[in-house]
């Protein structure tokens, strides 16, 4: 008998009907995708709108090592621990991209005793959502080339086309390409390239749309390029917004799954936190906060990346206000921020970084203080989750706890959810319940009425610690164009490194007095934000010398092994 035909043990996923029933969903509210997954129906957020709101808990982190600090594990463990305390709890997380799954970091479904199930499905094709984004993105790219070839109206200036193709894999060779090389050209000869699907504006739109009508309208507002008279050409004018929406109809429905302890989760959309806005979908959160007492949602990378965008972009659109923010840190991440260790992405962490070093920890703790200050600027209580790794020094963990409390954290708790599951996060859950019960005055960092330049400078100085901002001529020209065209009142999404508070991954700890360079400012009119490219940020990275793909295989039953 194959493992797939054996009886299901207690630690295997429950039937998705049981998970839905736990949430009070009727059979008309979801559609099973196999035994352990389902998609929710369209319009569920409206159907549930009269229910009371849950406590809304964000999870972020300090600047990470290339291996990550277990932020997803902590988020999963926290939701499970809240359930263990007797609360109705669920989580909302992003879908993993195949780029890190086969690249450096591996999968995004947790680890140890804090996993999302079914892990392999979630880490790989997961109901086809990422492929739908890729198809919709590339449909528009082909429509643009056909529009140019046929010289249709409005006539696009090829030099202004910003829309690129995408693929959900690291493939550096596609970052900059030339298309239209056929003997009988079916498209104009021009330079373009590929981005990761997670960096596509289509993904950002899918994540930020509040309903199907909003999705369709946002797709129509995408600006693909400019006319020779410098007027924007939208997807609505190109005639394919409806076709793109048709490709995304099922992908817009949030995915219902469960943790290894059967806590419900909605895993939906996957914009990157260093390139895009880095948060799971608005529609999933609008549903989740009506289904549970506590909702735990994780944003990408540190509070300078995903959390700031969670507050200033996602919450602004959804209208939801967080009740508390969990800040994940580790001893190794803080020691790395001391600048005393050399770490390379794709390589194992050096042994010296993993050994006890209180001096390095003290120096690197400036990074923890900076992230606490960032959260404080949004008037939210911060609970520090000190994620313990095997072999961590008790003295280091206690030192982190004391520093966090001295810097005004509402609580600082050592967690070990990776090894112990919900039991390793119970103290964290208790601290979060207490913090979320306190009133707060949450507010976005800047009003939309500020100029584009003022918004960028607010983020650079108040969040990253820069002394001044320097704009390349292209960035200044673009800002002036967008202001003139009426896009100046959009929020700003900064694309920068996740490894430093600054634009430079080499500036560790709490850099101050530096100049923050803005290379370019681009428009995502459909998503509803402008994004500034700062430092060297690649929208199509390459693979490391030892890709995670080398470790992935299948057995004779089709079970997938090696997913990290």
């Amino acid at each position: 008998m194959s493992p797939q035909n054996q009886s299901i043990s207690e630690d295997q996923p429950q039937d998705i009907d049981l998970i839905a029933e736990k949430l009070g969903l009727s059979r008309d509210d979801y559609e099973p995708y196999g035994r352990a997954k389902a998609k929710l129906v369209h319009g569920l957020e409206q159907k549930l709108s009269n229910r009371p709101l849950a406590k809304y808990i964000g999870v972020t982190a300090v600047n990470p090592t290339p291996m990550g600090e277990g932020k997803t594990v902590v988020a999963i463990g926290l939701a499970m621990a809240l359930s263990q305390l007797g609360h109705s709890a669920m989580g909302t997380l992003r879908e993993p991209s195949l780029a890190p799954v086969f690249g450096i970091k591996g999968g995004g479904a947790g680890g140890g005793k804090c996993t999302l199930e079914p892990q392999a499905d979630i880490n790989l094709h997961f109901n086809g959502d990422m492929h739908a984004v890729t198809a919709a993105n590339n449909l528009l790219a082909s429509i643009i080339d056909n529009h140019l070839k046929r010289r249709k109206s409005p006539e696009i200036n090829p030099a202004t086309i910003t829309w690129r193709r995408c693929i959900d894999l690291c493939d550096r060779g596609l970052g900059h390409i030339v298309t239209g090389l056929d003997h009988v050209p079916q498209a104009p000869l021009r330079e373009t390239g590929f981005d990761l699907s997670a960096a596509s504006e289509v993904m950002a739109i899918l994540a930020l749309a509040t309903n199907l009508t909003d999705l369709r309208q946002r797709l129509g507002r995408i600006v693909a390029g400019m006319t020779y008279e410098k007027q924007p050409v939208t997807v609505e004018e190109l005639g394919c917004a409806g076709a793109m929406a048709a490709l995304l109809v099922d992908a817009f429905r949030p995915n219902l799954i469960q943790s290894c302890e059967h806590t419900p989760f909605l895993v939906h959309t996957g914009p990157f936190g260093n390139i895009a806005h880095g948060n799971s979908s608005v529609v999933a959160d609008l549903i989740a906060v009506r289904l549970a007492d506590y909702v735990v949602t994780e944003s990408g990378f540190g509070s300078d990346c995903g959390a700031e965008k969670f507050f200033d972009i996602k919450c602004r659109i959804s209208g939801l206000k967080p009740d508390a923010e969990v800040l994940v840190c580790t001893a190794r991440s803080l020691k790395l921020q001391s600048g005393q260790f050399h770490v390379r992405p794709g390589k194992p962490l050096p042994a010296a970084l993993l050994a006890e070093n209180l001096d390095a920890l003290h120096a690197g703790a400036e990074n923890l203080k900076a992230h606490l200050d960032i959260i404080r600027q949004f008037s939210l209580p911060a609970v520090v989750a000190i994620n313990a790794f095997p072999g961590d020094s008790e003295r280091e963990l206690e030192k982190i706890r004391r520093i966090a409390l001295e810097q005004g954290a509402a609580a600082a708790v050592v967690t070990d959810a990776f090894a112990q599951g919900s039991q390793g996060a119970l103290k964290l859950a208790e601290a979060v319940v207490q913090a979320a019960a306190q009133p707060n005055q949450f507010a976005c960092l800047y009003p939309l009425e500020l100029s584009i330049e003022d918004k960028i400078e607010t983020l650079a100085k108040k969040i990253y610690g820069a002394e001044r901002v320097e704009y390349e001529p292209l960035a200044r020209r673009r800002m002036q164009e967008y202001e003139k065209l009426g896009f100046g009142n959009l929020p700003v999404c900064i694309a920068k490194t996740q490894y430093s508070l600054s634009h430079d991954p080499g500036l560790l700890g709490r850099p101050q007095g530096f100049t923050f360079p803005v290379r370019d400012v681009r428009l995502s009119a459909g998503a509803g934000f402008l994004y500034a490219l700062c430092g060297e940020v690649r929208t199509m990275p390459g693979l490391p010398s030892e890709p995670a793909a080398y470790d992935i295989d299948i057995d004779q039953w089709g079970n997938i092994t090696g997913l990290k």
Side-chain angles (χ1 to χ4, degrees):
M1 179 182 295
S2 78
Q4 294 166 324
N5 295 326
Q6 295 174 4
S7 62
I8 297 176
S9 64
E10 291 183 1
D11 61 349
Q12 288 184 302
Q14 289 183 343
D15 192 290
I16 200 64
D17 290 330
L18 297 176
I19 301 300
E21 183 180 344
K22 183 186 300 186
L23 292 171
L25 294 174
S26 74
R27 190 60 182 77
D28 294 331
D29 294 330
Y30 64 97
E31 178 186 358
Y33 272 45
R35 192 185 63 78
K37 309 177 289 181
K39 274 197 171 285
L40 303 182
V41 299
H42 292 301
L44 188 56
E45 70 285 350
Q46 187 61 38
K47 177 181 176 180
L48 302 172
S49 60
N50 290 328
R51 293 192 183 186
L53 288 171
K55 293 291 186 182
Y56 192 38
I57 312 300
V59 178
T60 186
V62 298
N63 293 105
T65 67
M67 304 304 293
E69 305 319 304
K71 180 158 50 72
T72 301
V73 166
V74 171
I76 296 169
L78 173 58
M80 296 193 308
L82 287 165
S83 296
Q84 286 293 319
L85 292 178
H87 302 289
S88 170
M90 64 187 304
T92 60
L93 301 180
R94 290 175 298 159
E95 300 181 34
S97 162
L98 293 181
V101 168
F102 293 137
I104 293 177
K105 286 189 67 176
K113 293 188 175 181
C114 282
T115 59
L116 300 177
E117 303 295 340
Q119 280 193 75
D121 290 9
I122 295 166
N123 278 320
L124 297 179
H125 304 288
F126 198 36
N127 298 346
D129 293 357
M130 196 71 74
H131 301 309
V133 168
T134 303
N137 182 101
N138 293 343
L139 170 63
L140 174 54
S142 64
I143 290 288
I144 291 170
D145 279 345
N146 186 62
H147 190 92
L148 290 173
K149 171 68 177 176
R150 310 296 178 187
R151 298 184 177 179
K152 293 186 176 184
S153 179
E155 191 172 357
I156 306 174
N157 179 353
T160 67
I161 295 172
T162 55
W163 197 260
R164 291 155 56 94
R165 288 166 172 81
C166 72
I167 187 172
D168 190 34
L169 292 168
C170 291
D171 192 344
R172 193 72 189 104
L174 294 176
H176 186 195
I177 63 171
V178 175
T179 59
L181 293 172
D182 292 343
H183 292 299
V184 182
Q186 293 301 305
L189 185 71
R190 67 185 183 91
E191 293 185 44
T192 181
F194 278 73
D195 296 330
L196 291 176
S197 298
S200 166
E201 185 179 354
V202 174
M203 177 61 80
I205 289 171
L206 195 71
L208 293 172
T210 56
N211 53 51
L212 277 175
T213 300
D214 188 31
L215 174 71
R216 172 64 177 76
Q217 291 173 346
R218 286 174 179 271
L219 291 169
R221 291 200 298 265
I222 293 171
V223 173
M226 308 289 281
T227 66
Y228 287 96
E229 292 75 32
K230 296 185 178 181
Q231 293 301 306
V233 178
T234 67
V235 169
E236 198 66 58
E237 292 175 291
L238 293 174
C240 64
M244 293 172 70
L247 287 170
L248 296 169
V249 164
D250 281 339
F252 187 65
R253 298 160 60 193
N255 304 292
L256 175 63
I257 50 94
Q258 62 194 286
S259 74
C260 54
E261 295 186 12
H262 315 311
T263 299
F265 273 79
L266 296 179
V267 176
H268 193 218
T269 71
F272 279 170
N274 58 340
I275 299 170
H277 71 282
N279 284 269
S280 58
S281 75
V282 165
V283 70
D285 283 11
L286 291 174
I287 293 170
V289 294
R290 303 292 184 176
L291 290 175
D293 298 329
Y294 288 86
V295 172
V296 177
T297 188
E298 175 200 353
S299 52
F301 298 120
S303 69
D304 57 317
C305 284
E308 181 274 317
K309 297 166 187 177
F310 170 56
F311 302 141
D312 282 325
I313 297 177
K314 183 179 179 182
C315 289
R316 202 190 296 263
I317 289 173
S318 71
L320 299 176
K321 295 185 178 182
D323 294 284
E325 189 74 11
V326 175
L327 178 64
V328 179
C329 70
T330 61
R332 65 184 195 176
S333 66
L334 296 183
K335 285 185 287 186
L336 176 62
Q337 289 296 319
S338 70
Q340 299 178 23
F341 306 92
H342 181 64
V343 172
R344 291 180 59 192
K347 299 290 185 181
L349 297 178
L353 179 64
L354 307 179
E356 182 182 278
N357 188 328
L358 293 173
D359 290 339
L361 182 70
H362 181 78
E366 289 299 316
N367 188 258
L368 171 62
K369 298 174 185 177
H371 285 280
L372 285 169
D373 284 346
I374 289 172
I375 296 170
R376 190 175 296 115
Q377 290 187 71
F378 294 92
S379 302
L380 284 174
V383 176
V384 174
I386 307 164
N387 190 25
F389 280 73
D392 276 353
S393 157
E394 292 294 331
R395 294 201 301 168
E396 287 184 340
L397 297 178
E398 176 58 24
K399 186 177 182 66
I400 296 171
R401 194 184 71 82
R402 291 200 311 269
I403 291 172
L405 293 175
E406 289 169 0
Q407 293 301 311
V413 181
V414 176
T415 67
D416 191 11
F418 182 91
Q420 300 180 43
S422 61
Q423 295 301 308
L426 287 176
K427 290 184 179 179
L428 174 63
E430 291 169 350
V432 166
V433 168
Q434 292 183 11
Q438 304 302 314
N440 71 71
Q441 302 297 319
F442 170 78
C444 295
L445 189 65
Y446 55 81
L448 295 180
E449 293 73 26
L450 286 182
S451 68
I452 300 171
E453 184 172 341
D454 285 344
K455 280 180 277 203
I456 292 174
E457 300 215 0
T458 297
L459 292 170
K461 294 177 180 179
K462 291 189 175 183
I463 301 296
Y464 314 139
E467 181 176 321
R468 59 186 294 270
V469 179
E470 185 176 84
Y471 301 91
E472 291 192 11
L474 175 61
R476 284 208 174 275
R477 186 168 69 251
R478 288 261 172 89
M479 287 191 296
Q480 291 170 359
E481 289 175 356
Y482 299 147
E483 295 273 8
K484 183 178 179 180
L485 291 169
F487 296 114
N489 63 342
L490 296 177
V492 172
C493 178
I494 303 288
K496 75 173 193 69
T497 181
Q498 66 269 31
Y499 297 125
S500 167
L501 286 163
S502 74
H503 63 287
D504 181 354
L507 292 177
L508 301 178
R510 188 173 193 169
Q512 293 178 316
F514 61 92
T515 297
F516 190 72
V518 178
R519 294 189 292 111
D520 193 3
V521 178
R522 296 179 184 173
L523 173 65
S524 290
F529 56 72
L530 299 157
Y531 68 101
L533 295 174
C534 306
E536 294 300 321
V537 177
R538 291 179 176 175
T539 54
M540 174 50 74
L543 290 167
S545 59
E546 296 291 326
Y550 289 172
D551 299 323
I552 299 172
D553 209 332
I554 61 171
D555 65 16
Q556 61 181 324
W557 306 112
N559 297 308
I560 297 169
T561 60
L563 280 171
K564 299 176 183 177

